[in-house]
Short mmCIF file of all heavy atoms in Angstrom, two decimals:
data_model
loop_
_atom_site.label_atom_id
_atom_site.label_comp_id
_atom_site.label_asym_id
_atom_site.label_seq_id
_atom_site.Cartn_x
_atom_site.Cartn_y
_atom_site.Cartn_z
N LEU Z 1 -2.31 6.66 3.87
CA LEU Z 1 -2.93 7.12 2.67
C LEU Z 1 -1.88 7.85 1.85
O LEU Z 1 -1.58 9.04 2.02
CB LEU Z 1 -4.08 8.09 2.98
CG LEU Z 1 -5.21 7.49 3.83
CD1 LEU Z 1 -6.25 8.52 4.19
CD2 LEU Z 1 -5.82 6.34 3.05
N SER Z 2 -1.27 7.13 1.00
CA SER Z 2 -0.23 7.71 0.06
C SER Z 2 -0.27 6.95 -1.24
O SER Z 2 -0.84 5.94 -1.40
CB SER Z 2 1.16 7.61 0.74
OG SER Z 2 1.52 6.28 0.82
N LYS Z 3 0.37 7.58 -2.22
CA LYS Z 3 0.39 6.96 -3.51
C LYS Z 3 1.14 5.69 -3.58
O LYS Z 3 0.84 4.74 -4.32
CB LYS Z 3 0.99 7.96 -4.56
CG LYS Z 3 0.15 9.20 -4.75
CD LYS Z 3 0.85 10.16 -5.67
CE LYS Z 3 0.04 11.44 -5.92
NZ LYS Z 3 0.70 12.35 -6.81
N ASP Z 4 2.23 5.61 -2.82
CA ASP Z 4 3.10 4.40 -2.77
C ASP Z 4 2.37 3.20 -2.19
O ASP Z 4 2.59 2.02 -2.52
CB ASP Z 4 4.32 4.67 -2.00
CG ASP Z 4 5.18 5.72 -2.70
OD1 ASP Z 4 5.09 5.84 -3.87
OD2 ASP Z 4 5.94 6.44 -1.97
N ASN Z 5 1.42 3.44 -1.27
CA ASN Z 5 0.76 2.39 -0.55
C ASN Z 5 -0.52 1.86 -1.29
O ASN Z 5 -1.18 0.93 -0.91
CB ASN Z 5 0.41 2.80 0.86
CG ASN Z 5 1.67 2.92 1.68
OD1 ASN Z 5 2.70 2.34 1.44
ND2 ASN Z 5 1.57 3.78 2.69
N ASN Z 6 -0.97 2.63 -2.36
CA ASN Z 6 -2.18 2.20 -3.02
C ASN Z 6 -2.01 0.81 -3.68
O ASN Z 6 -2.94 0.00 -3.72
CB ASN Z 6 -2.56 3.24 -4.07
CG ASN Z 6 -3.08 4.52 -3.41
OD1 ASN Z 6 -3.63 4.38 -2.30
ND2 ASN Z 6 -3.06 5.63 -4.08
N ARG Z 7 -0.91 0.62 -4.14
CA ARG Z 7 -0.60 -0.71 -4.84
C ARG Z 7 -0.70 -1.80 -3.84
O ARG Z 7 -1.25 -2.83 -4.13
CB ARG Z 7 0.73 -0.62 -5.50
CG ARG Z 7 0.76 0.35 -6.71
CD ARG Z 7 2.15 0.34 -7.32
NE ARG Z 7 3.10 0.78 -6.31
CZ ARG Z 7 4.42 0.71 -6.51
NH1 ARG Z 7 4.98 0.16 -7.60
NH2 ARG Z 7 5.27 1.15 -5.58
N VAL Z 8 -0.17 -1.63 -2.65
CA VAL Z 8 -0.15 -2.67 -1.63
C VAL Z 8 -1.56 -3.00 -1.18
O VAL Z 8 -2.03 -4.15 -1.06
CB VAL Z 8 0.71 -2.34 -0.44
CG1 VAL Z 8 0.62 -3.37 0.61
CG2 VAL Z 8 2.14 -2.09 -0.86
N GLN Z 9 -2.40 -1.93 -1.03
CA GLN Z 9 -3.75 -2.10 -0.59
C GLN Z 9 -4.64 -2.86 -1.67
O GLN Z 9 -5.45 -3.68 -1.36
CB GLN Z 9 -4.42 -0.79 -0.24
CG GLN Z 9 -3.76 -0.17 0.99
CD GLN Z 9 -4.38 1.25 1.30
OE1 GLN Z 9 -5.25 1.62 0.58
NE2 GLN Z 9 -3.88 1.81 2.42
N LYS Z 10 -4.39 -2.51 -2.93
CA LYS Z 10 -5.15 -3.17 -4.02
C LYS Z 10 -4.80 -4.65 -4.12
O LYS Z 10 -5.64 -5.47 -4.37
CB LYS Z 10 -4.87 -2.49 -5.38
CG LYS Z 10 -5.50 -1.10 -5.45
CD LYS Z 10 -5.18 -0.50 -6.80
CE LYS Z 10 -5.75 0.89 -6.90
NZ LYS Z 10 -5.43 1.55 -8.15
N LYS Z 11 -3.62 -5.02 -3.86
CA LYS Z 11 -3.22 -6.37 -3.98
C LYS Z 11 -3.87 -7.21 -2.84
O LYS Z 11 -4.25 -8.30 -2.96
CB LYS Z 11 -1.75 -6.52 -3.91
CG LYS Z 11 -1.07 -6.06 -5.17
CD LYS Z 11 0.41 -6.20 -5.12
CE LYS Z 11 1.08 -5.76 -6.37
NZ LYS Z 11 2.56 -5.87 -6.34
N LYS Z 12 -4.02 -6.55 -1.71
CA LYS Z 12 -4.61 -7.21 -0.54
C LYS Z 12 -6.07 -7.44 -0.74
O LYS Z 12 -6.67 -8.34 -0.07
CB LYS Z 12 -4.36 -6.46 0.74
CG LYS Z 12 -2.95 -6.48 1.17
CD LYS Z 12 -2.70 -5.73 2.47
CE LYS Z 12 -1.31 -5.80 2.93
NZ LYS Z 12 -1.12 -5.12 4.24
N LYS Z 13 -6.73 -6.81 -1.63
CA LYS Z 13 -8.16 -6.94 -1.85
C LYS Z 13 -8.41 -8.25 -2.60
O LYS Z 13 -9.54 -8.77 -2.63
CB LYS Z 13 -8.77 -5.78 -2.60
CG LYS Z 13 -8.81 -4.52 -1.79
CD LYS Z 13 -9.35 -3.34 -2.65
CE LYS Z 13 -9.41 -2.07 -1.84
NZ LYS Z 13 -9.96 -0.93 -2.66
N HIS Z 14 -7.52 -8.73 -3.32
CA HIS Z 14 -7.72 -9.98 -4.15
C HIS Z 14 -6.73 -11.04 -3.66
O HIS Z 14 -5.66 -11.19 -4.33
CB HIS Z 14 -7.51 -9.73 -5.65
CG HIS Z 14 -8.42 -8.59 -6.09
ND1 HIS Z 14 -9.73 -8.78 -6.38
CD2 HIS Z 14 -8.13 -7.28 -6.37
CE1 HIS Z 14 -10.26 -7.66 -6.79
NE2 HIS Z 14 -9.34 -6.67 -6.77
N PRO Z 15 -7.03 -11.73 -2.63
CA PRO Z 15 -6.12 -12.67 -2.11
C PRO Z 15 -6.28 -14.10 -2.72
O PRO Z 15 -5.77 -15.05 -2.12
CB PRO Z 15 -6.49 -12.73 -0.63
CG PRO Z 15 -7.89 -12.39 -0.57
CD PRO Z 15 -8.13 -11.40 -1.79
N LYS Z 16 -6.96 -14.22 -3.81
CA LYS Z 16 -7.17 -15.51 -4.45
C LYS Z 16 -6.00 -16.15 -4.89
O LYS Z 16 -5.65 -17.31 -4.66
CB LYS Z 16 -8.24 -15.42 -5.55
CG LYS Z 16 -9.63 -15.05 -5.07
CD LYS Z 16 -10.58 -14.93 -6.24
CE LYS Z 16 -11.98 -14.60 -5.78
NZ LYS Z 16 -12.96 -14.54 -6.97
N LYS Z 17 -5.27 -15.38 -5.61
CA LYS Z 17 -4.00 -15.99 -6.16
C LYS Z 17 -2.83 -15.53 -5.28
O LYS Z 17 -2.59 -14.40 -5.10
CB LYS Z 17 -3.73 -15.46 -7.58
CG LYS Z 17 -4.80 -15.95 -8.55
CD LYS Z 17 -4.51 -15.46 -9.96
CE LYS Z 17 -5.52 -15.90 -11.00
NZ LYS Z 17 -5.27 -15.39 -12.34
N LYS Z 18 -2.27 -16.62 -4.79
CA LYS Z 18 -1.13 -16.42 -3.94
C LYS Z 18 0.14 -16.66 -4.73
O LYS Z 18 0.38 -17.75 -5.12
CB LYS Z 18 -1.09 -17.31 -2.68
CG LYS Z 18 -2.28 -16.98 -1.78
CD LYS Z 18 -2.20 -17.87 -0.58
CE LYS Z 18 -3.36 -17.60 0.31
NZ LYS Z 18 -3.36 -18.51 1.58
N THR Z 19 0.69 -15.54 -5.05
CA THR Z 19 1.95 -15.67 -5.82
C THR Z 19 3.12 -15.13 -5.01
O THR Z 19 2.95 -14.17 -4.31
CB THR Z 19 1.82 -14.92 -7.17
OG1 THR Z 19 1.54 -13.57 -6.87
CG2 THR Z 19 0.73 -15.53 -8.04
N LYS Z 20 4.13 -15.82 -5.13
CA LYS Z 20 5.33 -15.38 -4.43
C LYS Z 20 6.21 -14.60 -5.44
O LYS Z 20 6.41 -14.99 -6.51
CB LYS Z 20 6.13 -16.59 -3.94
CG LYS Z 20 5.34 -17.37 -2.87
CD LYS Z 20 6.25 -18.48 -2.32
CE LYS Z 20 5.53 -19.23 -1.27
NZ LYS Z 20 6.41 -20.38 -0.82
N LYS Z 21 6.49 -13.44 -4.90
CA LYS Z 21 7.38 -12.65 -5.68
C LYS Z 21 8.81 -13.09 -5.48
O LYS Z 21 9.24 -13.29 -4.33
CB LYS Z 21 7.25 -11.20 -5.26
CG LYS Z 21 5.90 -10.59 -5.68
CD LYS Z 21 5.88 -9.12 -5.33
CE LYS Z 21 4.53 -8.52 -5.76
NZ LYS Z 21 4.50 -7.04 -5.47
N LYS Z 22 9.39 -13.35 -6.64
CA LYS Z 22 10.72 -13.77 -6.54
C LYS Z 22 11.65 -12.67 -6.02
O LYS Z 22 12.55 -13.00 -5.22
CB LYS Z 22 11.22 -14.24 -7.95
CG LYS Z 22 10.48 -15.43 -8.45
CD LYS Z 22 11.00 -15.88 -9.83
CE LYS Z 22 10.27 -17.13 -10.34
NZ LYS Z 22 10.69 -17.54 -11.69
N ASN Z 23 11.50 -11.56 -6.56
CA ASN Z 23 12.37 -10.46 -6.08
C ASN Z 23 11.50 -9.37 -5.43
O ASN Z 23 11.05 -8.45 -6.14
CB ASN Z 23 13.21 -9.91 -7.21
CG ASN Z 23 14.16 -10.95 -7.79
OD1 ASN Z 23 14.80 -11.66 -7.02
ND2 ASN Z 23 14.24 -10.95 -9.06
N PRO Z 24 11.25 -9.43 -4.05
CA PRO Z 24 10.43 -8.42 -3.47
C PRO Z 24 11.15 -7.07 -3.46
O PRO Z 24 12.33 -7.00 -3.35
CB PRO Z 24 10.22 -8.91 -2.08
CG PRO Z 24 11.33 -9.80 -1.81
CD PRO Z 24 11.70 -10.44 -3.13
N GLU Z 25 10.36 -6.04 -3.66
CA GLU Z 25 10.95 -4.69 -3.71
C GLU Z 25 11.39 -4.30 -2.29
O GLU Z 25 10.71 -4.53 -1.34
CB GLU Z 25 9.88 -3.63 -4.18
CG GLU Z 25 9.50 -3.92 -5.63
CD GLU Z 25 8.54 -2.93 -6.05
OE1 GLU Z 25 8.18 -2.01 -5.22
OE2 GLU Z 25 8.05 -2.95 -7.19
N PRO Z 26 12.53 -3.69 -2.27
CA PRO Z 26 13.05 -3.26 -0.88
C PRO Z 26 12.21 -2.07 -0.42
O PRO Z 26 11.75 -1.30 -1.09
CB PRO Z 26 14.48 -2.87 -1.17
CG PRO Z 26 14.52 -2.56 -2.62
CD PRO Z 26 13.55 -3.38 -3.27
N ILE Z 27 12.02 -2.15 0.88
CA ILE Z 27 11.17 -1.10 1.50
C ILE Z 27 12.06 0.10 1.80
O ILE Z 27 13.11 -0.01 2.44
CB ILE Z 27 10.58 -1.61 2.81
CG1 ILE Z 27 9.69 -2.81 2.59
CG2 ILE Z 27 9.87 -0.52 3.52
CD1 ILE Z 27 9.16 -3.50 3.84
N ASN Z 28 11.59 1.16 1.18
CA ASN Z 28 12.35 2.40 1.41
C ASN Z 28 11.79 3.12 2.59
O ASN Z 28 10.68 3.01 2.95
CB ASN Z 28 12.27 3.29 0.10
CG ASN Z 28 12.91 2.66 -1.08
OD1 ASN Z 28 13.92 1.96 -0.89
ND2 ASN Z 28 12.34 2.86 -2.25
N ASP Z 29 12.70 3.87 3.18
CA ASP Z 29 12.30 4.71 4.36
C ASP Z 29 11.29 5.80 3.92
O ASP Z 29 10.47 6.26 4.73
CB ASP Z 29 13.44 5.46 5.01
CG ASP Z 29 14.45 4.40 5.60
OD1 ASP Z 29 13.92 3.30 5.99
OD2 ASP Z 29 15.63 4.73 5.80
N ASP Z 30 11.33 6.12 2.59
CA ASP Z 30 10.39 7.13 2.11
C ASP Z 30 8.97 6.70 2.11
O ASP Z 30 8.07 7.46 2.15
CB ASP Z 30 10.81 7.62 0.77
CG ASP Z 30 12.19 8.33 0.76
OD1 ASP Z 30 12.58 8.87 1.91
OD2 ASP Z 30 12.89 8.32 -0.24
N MET Z 31 8.82 5.31 2.03
CA MET Z 31 7.50 4.76 1.99
C MET Z 31 6.79 5.01 3.29
O MET Z 31 5.56 5.16 3.31
CB MET Z 31 7.57 3.27 1.62
CG MET Z 31 8.08 3.02 0.25
SD MET Z 31 8.28 1.29 -0.01
CE MET Z 31 6.63 0.74 0.06
N PHE Z 32 7.51 4.93 4.38
CA PHE Z 32 6.84 5.07 5.69
C PHE Z 32 7.43 6.23 6.47
O PHE Z 32 7.79 6.20 7.66
CB PHE Z 32 7.06 3.78 6.55
CG PHE Z 32 6.39 2.59 5.95
CD1 PHE Z 32 7.10 1.71 5.14
CD2 PHE Z 32 5.07 2.33 6.25
CE1 PHE Z 32 6.38 0.65 4.60
CE2 PHE Z 32 4.47 1.21 5.73
CZ PHE Z 32 5.06 0.35 4.92
N ASN Z 33 7.51 7.29 5.78
CA ASN Z 33 7.99 8.57 6.41
C ASN Z 33 6.83 9.21 7.13
O ASN Z 33 6.02 9.84 6.50
CB ASN Z 33 8.59 9.51 5.35
CG ASN Z 33 9.30 10.65 5.98
OD1 ASN Z 33 9.27 10.80 7.25
ND2 ASN Z 33 9.99 11.43 5.17
N ILE Z 34 6.83 8.94 8.53
CA ILE Z 34 5.69 9.37 9.28
C ILE Z 34 5.60 10.90 9.37
O ILE Z 34 4.55 11.46 9.51
CB ILE Z 34 5.78 8.78 10.70
CG1 ILE Z 34 5.74 7.27 10.54
CG2 ILE Z 34 4.64 9.29 11.62
CD1 ILE Z 34 5.98 6.50 11.83
N ASP Z 35 6.79 11.50 9.34
CA ASP Z 35 6.81 12.98 9.46
C ASP Z 35 6.06 13.60 8.30
O ASP Z 35 5.52 14.70 8.46
CB ASP Z 35 8.27 13.47 9.53
CG ASP Z 35 8.93 12.96 10.78
OD1 ASP Z 35 8.21 12.69 11.81
OD2 ASP Z 35 10.19 12.89 10.76
N ASN Z 36 6.13 12.94 7.06
CA ASN Z 36 5.49 13.57 5.92
C ASN Z 36 4.10 13.12 5.69
O ASN Z 36 3.41 13.58 4.79
CB ASN Z 36 6.29 13.20 4.65
CG ASN Z 36 7.69 13.81 4.73
OD1 ASN Z 36 7.82 14.91 5.31
ND2 ASN Z 36 8.73 13.15 4.12
N GLU Z 37 3.55 12.22 6.57
CA GLU Z 37 2.25 11.73 6.41
C GLU Z 37 1.24 12.46 7.22
O GLU Z 37 1.58 13.02 8.31
CB GLU Z 37 2.19 10.17 6.80
CG GLU Z 37 3.06 9.35 5.96
CD GLU Z 37 2.72 9.33 4.47
OE1 GLU Z 37 1.55 9.58 4.20
OE2 GLU Z 37 3.64 9.20 3.64
N ILE Z 38 -0.01 12.38 6.82
CA ILE Z 38 -1.13 13.04 7.53
C ILE Z 38 -1.92 11.95 8.14
O ILE Z 38 -2.42 11.09 7.52
CB ILE Z 38 -2.00 13.84 6.62
CG1 ILE Z 38 -1.16 15.00 6.03
CG2 ILE Z 38 -3.23 14.44 7.35
CD1 ILE Z 38 -1.90 15.74 4.87
N VAL Z 39 -2.05 12.01 9.50
CA VAL Z 39 -2.76 10.98 10.29
C VAL Z 39 -4.12 11.55 10.72
O VAL Z 39 -4.12 12.62 11.31
CB VAL Z 39 -1.97 10.49 11.47
CG1 VAL Z 39 -2.66 9.42 12.20
CG2 VAL Z 39 -0.60 10.03 11.03
N ILE Z 40 -5.24 10.84 10.39
CA ILE Z 40 -6.53 11.29 10.72
C ILE Z 40 -7.14 10.43 11.87
O ILE Z 40 -7.23 9.23 11.74
CB ILE Z 40 -7.44 11.31 9.52
CG1 ILE Z 40 -6.86 12.19 8.45
CG2 ILE Z 40 -8.86 11.75 9.89
CD1 ILE Z 40 -7.62 12.07 7.10
N GLY Z 41 -7.56 11.15 13.01
CA GLY Z 41 -8.25 10.45 14.04
C GLY Z 41 -7.47 9.42 14.86
O GLY Z 41 -8.08 8.48 15.34
N VAL Z 42 -6.17 9.58 14.77
CA VAL Z 42 -5.31 8.63 15.52
C VAL Z 42 -4.36 9.37 16.45
O VAL Z 42 -3.76 10.38 16.05
CB VAL Z 42 -4.46 7.77 14.49
CG1 VAL Z 42 -3.62 6.80 15.27
CG2 VAL Z 42 -5.42 7.03 13.57
N THR Z 43 -4.22 8.84 17.64
CA THR Z 43 -3.26 9.40 18.60
C THR Z 43 -1.99 8.63 18.59
O THR Z 43 -1.97 7.42 18.64
CB THR Z 43 -3.87 9.37 20.01
OG1 THR Z 43 -4.21 8.05 20.35
CG2 THR Z 43 -5.11 10.22 20.11
N VAL Z 44 -0.92 9.31 18.48
CA VAL Z 44 0.40 8.67 18.40
C VAL Z 44 0.95 8.67 19.79
O VAL Z 44 1.10 9.69 20.45
CB VAL Z 44 1.33 9.45 17.46
CG1 VAL Z 44 2.63 8.74 17.39
CG2 VAL Z 44 0.70 9.53 16.08
N LEU Z 45 1.31 7.51 20.28
CA LEU Z 45 1.93 7.31 21.59
C LEU Z 45 3.39 7.63 21.54
O LEU Z 45 4.05 7.22 20.60
CB LEU Z 45 1.75 5.90 22.12
CG LEU Z 45 0.29 5.44 22.33
CD1 LEU Z 45 0.23 3.98 22.74
CD2 LEU Z 45 -0.36 6.32 23.43
#
């Protein structure tokens, strides 16, 4: 649950048009910084 991931989730809701992105955005480490995220109801192994 973060602002950066909202866009990815919205795109996944409408899978009708499959378009290939010519230049996919590089995944930054900041996008999946687990230390800065809040996890609800999940146990981390």
Side-chain angles (χ1 to χ4, degrees):
L1 303 177
S2 63
K3 294 179 180 181
D4 294 332
N5 292 332
N6 287 335
R7 292 179 299 169
V8 176
Q9 291 177 1
K10 288 179 181 179
K11 289 179 180 180
K12 288 182 178 181
K13 291 179 180 180
H14 305 281
K16 292 180 180 181
K17 294 180 180 180
K18 296 182 181 179
T19 58
K20 295 183 179 179
K21 291 184 180 181
K22 294 180 180 181
N23 296 318
E25 294 180 1
I27 300 172
N28 295 326
D29 293 335
D30 296 333
M31 295 174 64
F32 295 94
N33 192 351
I34 300 173
D35 294 333
N36 294 328
E37 299 299 330
I38 298 172
V39 181
I40 298 173
V42 178
T43 57
V44 181
L45 298 174

